[in-house]
PDB file of all heavy atoms in Angstrom:
ATOM      1  N   ALA A 447       9.712   6.273  19.179  1.00  0.00           N
ATOM      2  CA  ALA A 447       8.555   6.434  20.067  1.00  0.00           C
ATOM      3  C   ALA A 447       7.524   7.385  19.468  1.00  0.00           C
ATOM      4  O   ALA A 447       6.323   7.088  19.447  1.00  0.00           O
ATOM      5  CB  ALA A 447       9.009   6.931  21.432  1.00  0.00           C
ATOM      6  N   LEU A 448       7.992   8.537  18.967  1.00  0.00           N
ATOM      7  CA  LEU A 448       7.062   9.503  18.373  1.00  0.00           C
ATOM      8  C   LEU A 448       6.410   8.937  17.115  1.00  0.00           C
ATOM      9  O   LEU A 448       5.228   9.188  16.849  1.00  0.00           O
ATOM     10  CB  LEU A 448       7.788  10.815  18.033  1.00  0.00           C
ATOM     11  CG  LEU A 448       8.277  11.667  19.199  1.00  0.00           C
ATOM     12  CD1 LEU A 448       8.770  13.019  18.692  1.00  0.00           C
ATOM     13  CD2 LEU A 448       7.188  11.872  20.237  1.00  0.00           C
ATOM     14  N   TRP A 449       7.178   8.187  16.324  1.00  0.00           N
ATOM     15  CA  TRP A 449       6.626   7.610  15.096  1.00  0.00           C
ATOM     16  C   TRP A 449       5.514   6.601  15.419  1.00  0.00           C
ATOM     17  O   TRP A 449       4.465   6.574  14.776  1.00  0.00           O
ATOM     18  CB  TRP A 449       7.733   6.927  14.292  1.00  0.00           C
ATOM     19  CG  TRP A 449       7.230   6.224  13.075  1.00  0.00           C
ATOM     20  CD1 TRP A 449       7.016   4.886  12.910  1.00  0.00           C
ATOM     21  CD2 TRP A 449       6.831   6.836  11.838  1.00  0.00           C
ATOM     22  NE1 TRP A 449       6.527   4.627  11.665  1.00  0.00           N
ATOM     23  CE2 TRP A 449       6.397   5.795  10.985  1.00  0.00           C
ATOM     24  CE3 TRP A 449       6.803   8.147  11.374  1.00  0.00           C
ATOM     25  CZ2 TRP A 449       5.942   6.048   9.696  1.00  0.00           C
ATOM     26  CZ3 TRP A 449       6.349   8.392  10.083  1.00  0.00           C
ATOM     27  CH2 TRP A 449       5.935   7.353   9.265  1.00  0.00           C
ATOM     28  N   GLU A 450       5.744   5.754  16.421  1.00  0.00           N
ATOM     29  CA  GLU A 450       4.749   4.743  16.771  1.00  0.00           C
ATOM     30  C   GLU A 450       3.475   5.377  17.310  1.00  0.00           C
ATOM     31  O   GLU A 450       2.364   4.953  16.976  1.00  0.00           O
ATOM     32  CB  GLU A 450       5.340   3.765  17.787  1.00  0.00           C
ATOM     33  CG  GLU A 450       6.391   2.845  17.189  1.00  0.00           C
ATOM     34  CD  GLU A 450       6.946   1.855  18.193  1.00  0.00           C
ATOM     35  OE1 GLU A 450       6.828   2.121  19.416  1.00  0.00           O
ATOM     36  OE2 GLU A 450       7.483   0.816  17.776  1.00  0.00           O
ATOM     37  N   VAL A 451       3.628   6.420  18.131  1.00  0.00           N
ATOM     38  CA  VAL A 451       2.445   7.105  18.657  1.00  0.00           C
ATOM     39  C   VAL A 451       1.680   7.789  17.530  1.00  0.00           C
ATOM     40  O   VAL A 451       0.440   7.792  17.506  1.00  0.00           O
ATOM     41  CB  VAL A 451       2.852   8.125  19.739  1.00  0.00           C
ATOM     42  CG1 VAL A 451       1.663   8.970  20.166  1.00  0.00           C
ATOM     43  CG2 VAL A 451       3.429   7.405  20.951  1.00  0.00           C
ATOM     44  N   PHE A 452       2.411   8.378  16.581  1.00  0.00           N
ATOM     45  CA  PHE A 452       1.776   9.026  15.431  1.00  0.00           C
ATOM     46  C   PHE A 452       0.989   8.004  14.610  1.00  0.00           C
ATOM     47  O   PHE A 452      -0.151   8.268  14.187  1.00  0.00           O
ATOM     48  CB  PHE A 452       2.856   9.687  14.569  1.00  0.00           C
ATOM     49  CG  PHE A 452       2.347  10.326  13.300  1.00  0.00           C
ATOM     50  CD1 PHE A 452       1.702  11.551  13.327  1.00  0.00           C
ATOM     51  CD2 PHE A 452       2.506   9.685  12.075  1.00  0.00           C
ATOM     52  CE1 PHE A 452       1.233  12.139  12.159  1.00  0.00           C
ATOM     53  CE2 PHE A 452       2.042  10.261  10.901  1.00  0.00           C
ATOM     54  CZ  PHE A 452       1.405  11.493  10.952  1.00  0.00           C
ATOM     55  N   GLN A 453       1.571   6.832  14.386  1.00  0.00           N
ATOM     56  CA  GLN A 453       0.877   5.794  13.628  1.00  0.00           C
ATOM     57  C   GLN A 453      -0.325   5.253  14.395  1.00  0.00           C
ATOM     58  O   GLN A 453      -1.360   4.926  13.798  1.00  0.00           O
ATOM     59  CB  GLN A 453       1.851   4.650  13.290  1.00  0.00           C
ATOM     60  CG  GLN A 453       2.961   5.039  12.330  1.00  0.00           C
ATOM     61  CD  GLN A 453       2.427   5.518  10.993  1.00  0.00           C
ATOM     62  OE1 GLN A 453       1.469   4.965  10.461  1.00  0.00           O
ATOM     63  NE2 GLN A 453       3.048   6.551  10.447  1.00  0.00           N
ATOM     64  N   TRP A 454      -0.201   5.149  15.704  1.00  0.00           N
ATOM     65  CA  TRP A 454      -1.337   4.723  16.522  1.00  0.00           C
ATOM     66  C   TRP A 454      -2.489   5.713  16.392  1.00  0.00           C
ATOM     67  O   TRP A 454      -3.649   5.319  16.214  1.00  0.00           O
ATOM     68  CB  TRP A 454      -0.907   4.610  17.980  1.00  0.00           C
ATOM     69  CG  TRP A 454      -2.039   4.267  18.908  1.00  0.00           C
ATOM     70  CD1 TRP A 454      -2.513   3.025  19.206  1.00  0.00           C
ATOM     71  CD2 TRP A 454      -2.834   5.195  19.655  1.00  0.00           C
ATOM     72  NE1 TRP A 454      -3.560   3.120  20.086  1.00  0.00           N
ATOM     73  CE2 TRP A 454      -3.787   4.432  20.388  1.00  0.00           C
ATOM     74  CE3 TRP A 454      -2.844   6.583  19.784  1.00  0.00           C
ATOM     75  CZ2 TRP A 454      -4.724   5.035  21.226  1.00  0.00           C
ATOM     76  CZ3 TRP A 454      -3.783   7.167  20.623  1.00  0.00           C
ATOM     77  CH2 TRP A 454      -4.699   6.405  21.336  1.00  0.00           C
ATOM     78  N   GLN A 455      -2.154   7.016  16.467  1.00  0.00           N
ATOM     79  CA  GLN A 455      -3.183   8.047  16.319  1.00  0.00           C
ATOM     80  C   GLN A 455      -3.819   7.975  14.929  1.00  0.00           C
ATOM     81  O   GLN A 455      -5.039   8.129  14.780  1.00  0.00           O
ATOM     82  CB  GLN A 455      -2.560   9.428  16.538  1.00  0.00           C
ATOM     83  CG  GLN A 455      -3.514  10.605  16.380  1.00  0.00           C
ATOM     84  CD  GLN A 455      -4.547  10.669  17.477  1.00  0.00           C
ATOM     85  OE1 GLN A 455      -4.313  10.178  18.576  1.00  0.00           O
ATOM     86  NE2 GLN A 455      -5.682  11.266  17.184  1.00  0.00           N
ATOM     87  N   LYS A 456      -2.994   7.718  13.927  1.00  0.00           N
ATOM     88  CA  LYS A 456      -3.488   7.617  12.550  1.00  0.00           C
ATOM     89  C   LYS A 456      -4.477   6.466  12.415  1.00  0.00           C
ATOM     90  O   LYS A 456      -5.539   6.592  11.780  1.00  0.00           O
ATOM     91  CB  LYS A 456      -2.301   7.432  11.604  1.00  0.00           C
ATOM     92  CG  LYS A 456      -2.649   7.465  10.125  1.00  0.00           C
ATOM     93  CD  LYS A 456      -1.369   7.386   9.304  1.00  0.00           C
ATOM     94  CE  LYS A 456      -1.648   7.454   7.820  1.00  0.00           C
ATOM     95  NZ  LYS A 456      -0.391   7.431   7.032  1.00  0.00           N
ATOM     96  N   ASN A 457      -4.151   5.322  13.017  1.00  0.00           N
ATOM     97  CA  ASN A 457      -5.038   4.163  12.967  1.00  0.00           C
ATOM     98  C   ASN A 457      -6.337   4.421  13.718  1.00  0.00           C
ATOM     99  O   ASN A 457      -7.406   3.965  13.301  1.00  0.00           O
ATOM    100  CB  ASN A 457      -4.330   2.930  13.534  1.00  0.00           C
ATOM    101  CG  ASN A 457      -3.236   2.420  12.626  1.00  0.00           C
ATOM    102  OD1 ASN A 457      -3.283   2.602  11.417  1.00  0.00           O
ATOM    103  ND2 ASN A 457      -2.227   1.790  13.189  1.00  0.00           N
ATOM    104  N   GLN A 458      -6.244   5.127  14.857  1.00  0.00           N
ATOM    105  CA  GLN A 458      -7.444   5.458  15.618  1.00  0.00           C
ATOM    106  C   GLN A 458      -8.369   6.343  14.787  1.00  0.00           C
ATOM    107  O   GLN A 458      -9.582   6.126  14.730  1.00  0.00           O
ATOM    108  CB  GLN A 458      -7.066   6.182  16.918  1.00  0.00           C
ATOM    109  CG  GLN A 458      -6.404   5.295  17.966  1.00  0.00           C
ATOM    110  CD  GLN A 458      -7.368   4.251  18.499  1.00  0.00           C
ATOM    111  OE1 GLN A 458      -7.304   3.089  18.128  1.00  0.00           O
ATOM    112  NE2 GLN A 458      -8.266   4.665  19.361  1.00  0.00           N
ATOM    113  N   MET A 459      -7.799   7.362  14.168  1.00  0.00           N
ATOM    114  CA  MET A 459      -8.604   8.267  13.346  1.00  0.00           C
ATOM    115  C   MET A 459      -9.190   7.529  12.146  1.00  0.00           C
ATOM    116  O   MET A 459     -10.323   7.793  11.726  1.00  0.00           O
ATOM    117  CB  MET A 459      -7.747   9.455  12.896  1.00  0.00           C
ATOM    118  CG  MET A 459      -7.326  10.367  14.050  1.00  0.00           C
ATOM    119  SD  MET A 459      -6.106  11.628  13.576  1.00  0.00           S
ATOM    120  CE  MET A 459      -7.092  12.668  12.494  1.00  0.00           C
ATOM    121  N   LYS A 460      -8.420   6.600  11.603  1.00  0.00           N
ATOM    122  CA  LYS A 460      -8.909   5.817  10.462  1.00  0.00           C
ATOM    123  C   LYS A 460     -10.068   4.924  10.883  1.00  0.00           C
ATOM    124  O   LYS A 460     -11.069   4.806  10.157  1.00  0.00           O
ATOM    125  CB  LYS A 460      -7.764   4.979   9.883  1.00  0.00           C
ATOM    126  CG  LYS A 460      -8.158   4.170   8.650  1.00  0.00           C
ATOM    127  CD  LYS A 460      -6.955   3.417   8.093  1.00  0.00           C
ATOM    128  CE  LYS A 460      -7.360   2.581   6.882  1.00  0.00           C
ATOM    129  NZ  LYS A 460      -6.202   1.831   6.323  1.00  0.00           N
ATOM    130  N   SER A 461      -9.954   4.297  12.058  1.00  0.00           N
ATOM    131  CA  SER A 461     -11.031   3.439  12.551  1.00  0.00           C
ATOM    132  C   SER A 461     -12.306   4.240  12.777  1.00  0.00           C
ATOM    133  O   SER A 461     -13.406   3.782  12.466  1.00  0.00           O
ATOM    134  CB  SER A 461     -10.603   2.758  13.856  1.00  0.00           C
ATOM    135  OG  SER A 461      -9.507   1.905  13.640  1.00  0.00           O
ATOM    136  N   ASN A 462     -12.141   5.443  13.327  1.00  0.00           N
ATOM    137  CA  ASN A 462     -13.304   6.301  13.566  1.00  0.00           C
ATOM    138  C   ASN A 462     -13.889   6.858  12.275  1.00  0.00           C
ATOM    139  O   ASN A 462     -14.985   7.417  12.280  1.00  0.00           O
ATOM    140  CB  ASN A 462     -12.924   7.458  14.500  1.00  0.00           C
ATOM    141  CG  ASN A 462     -12.570   6.973  15.889  1.00  0.00           C
ATOM    142  OD1 ASN A 462     -13.041   5.925  16.324  1.00  0.00           O
ATOM    143  ND2 ASN A 462     -11.739   7.720  16.593  1.00  0.00           N
ATOM    144  N   ASN A 463     -13.130   6.712  11.187  1.00  0.00           N
ATOM    145  CA  ASN A 463     -13.585   7.196   9.880  1.00  0.00           C
ATOM    146  C   ASN A 463     -14.060   6.026   9.009  1.00  0.00           C
ATOM    147  O   ASN A 463     -13.934   6.051   7.798  1.00  0.00           O
ATOM    148  CB  ASN A 463     -12.439   7.959   9.178  1.00  0.00           C
ATOM    149  CG  ASN A 463     -12.935   8.815   8.030  1.00  0.00           C
ATOM    150  OD1 ASN A 463     -14.055   9.306   8.039  1.00  0.00           O
ATOM    151  ND2 ASN A 463     -12.092   9.003   7.031  1.00  0.00           N
ATOM    152  N   PHE A 464     -14.566   4.965   9.686  1.00  0.00           N
ATOM    153  CA  PHE A 464     -15.104   3.782   9.014  1.00  0.00           C
ATOM    154  C   PHE A 464     -14.065   3.105   8.129  1.00  0.00           C
ATOM    155  O   PHE A 464     -14.386   2.571   7.066  1.00  0.00           O
ATOM    156  CB  PHE A 464     -16.338   4.155   8.176  1.00  0.00           C
ATOM    157  CG  PHE A 464     -17.403   4.861   8.961  1.00  0.00           C
ATOM    158  CD1 PHE A 464     -17.642   6.212   8.779  1.00  0.00           C
ATOM    159  CD2 PHE A 464     -18.144   4.178   9.910  1.00  0.00           C
ATOM    160  CE1 PHE A 464     -18.611   6.871   9.514  1.00  0.00           C
ATOM    161  CE2 PHE A 464     -19.117   4.831  10.646  1.00  0.00           C
ATOM    162  CZ  PHE A 464     -19.356   6.170  10.453  1.00  0.00           C
ATOM    163  N   GLY A 465     -12.818   3.125   8.557  1.00  0.00           N
ATOM    164  CA  GLY A 465     -11.760   2.452   7.824  1.00  0.00           C
ATOM    165  C   GLY A 465     -11.157   3.246   6.685  1.00  0.00           C
ATOM    166  O   GLY A 465     -10.206   2.789   6.054  1.00  0.00           O
ATOM    167  N   CYS A 466     -11.699   4.434   6.412  1.00  0.00           N
ATOM    168  CA  CYS A 466     -11.156   5.264   5.323  1.00  0.00           C
ATOM    169  C   CYS A 466      -9.959   6.076   5.818  1.00  0.00           C
ATOM    170  O   CYS A 466      -9.893   6.446   6.994  1.00  0.00           O
ATOM    171  CB  CYS A 466     -12.228   6.213   4.796  1.00  0.00           C
ATOM    172  SG  CYS A 466     -13.642   5.358   4.075  1.00  0.00           S
ATOM    173  N   ASN A 467      -9.037   6.370   4.922  1.00  0.00           N
ATOM    174  CA  ASN A 467      -7.857   7.148   5.285  1.00  0.00           C
ATOM    175  C   ASN A 467      -8.237   8.566   5.687  1.00  0.00           C
ATOM    176  O   ASN A 467      -9.221   9.122   5.199  1.00  0.00           O
ATOM    177  CB  ASN A 467      -6.869   7.211   4.118  1.00  0.00           C
ATOM    178  CG  ASN A 467      -6.161   5.889   3.919  1.00  0.00           C
ATOM    179  OD1 ASN A 467      -6.052   5.090   4.831  1.00  0.00           O
ATOM    180  ND2 ASN A 467      -5.693   5.639   2.717  1.00  0.00           N
ATOM    181  N   VAL A 468      -7.447   9.145   6.588  1.00  0.00           N
ATOM    182  CA  VAL A 468      -7.656  10.528   7.007  1.00  0.00           C
ATOM    183  C   VAL A 468      -6.643  11.411   6.278  1.00  0.00           C
ATOM    184  O   VAL A 468      -5.579  10.947   5.866  1.00  0.00           O
ATOM    185  CB  VAL A 468      -7.499  10.684   8.537  1.00  0.00           C
ATOM    186  CG1 VAL A 468      -8.558   9.893   9.257  1.00  0.00           C
ATOM    187  CG2 VAL A 468      -6.115  10.238   8.996  1.00  0.00           C
ATOM    188  N   THR A 469      -6.978  12.681   6.135  1.00  0.00           N
ATOM    189  CA  THR A 469      -6.109  13.598   5.390  1.00  0.00           C
ATOM    190  C   THR A 469      -4.821  13.863   6.165  1.00  0.00           C
ATOM    191  O   THR A 469      -4.852  14.254   7.330  1.00  0.00           O
ATOM    192  CB  THR A 469      -6.834  14.928   5.129  1.00  0.00           C
ATOM    193  OG1 THR A 469      -8.061  14.663   4.450  1.00  0.00           O
ATOM    194  CG2 THR A 469      -5.973  15.852   4.280  1.00  0.00           C
TER     195      THR A 469
END
Side-chain angles (χ1 to χ4, degrees):
L448 292 189
W449 176 258
E450 289 182 339
V451 173
F452 177 77
Q453 293 300 320
W454 176 85
Q455 179 69 26
K456 186 175 182 178
N457 289 333
Q458 289 293 103
M459 293 171 68
K460 182 177 179 180
S461 296
N462 294 333
N463 196 30
F464 306 108
C466 297
N467 287 336
V468 296
T469 304

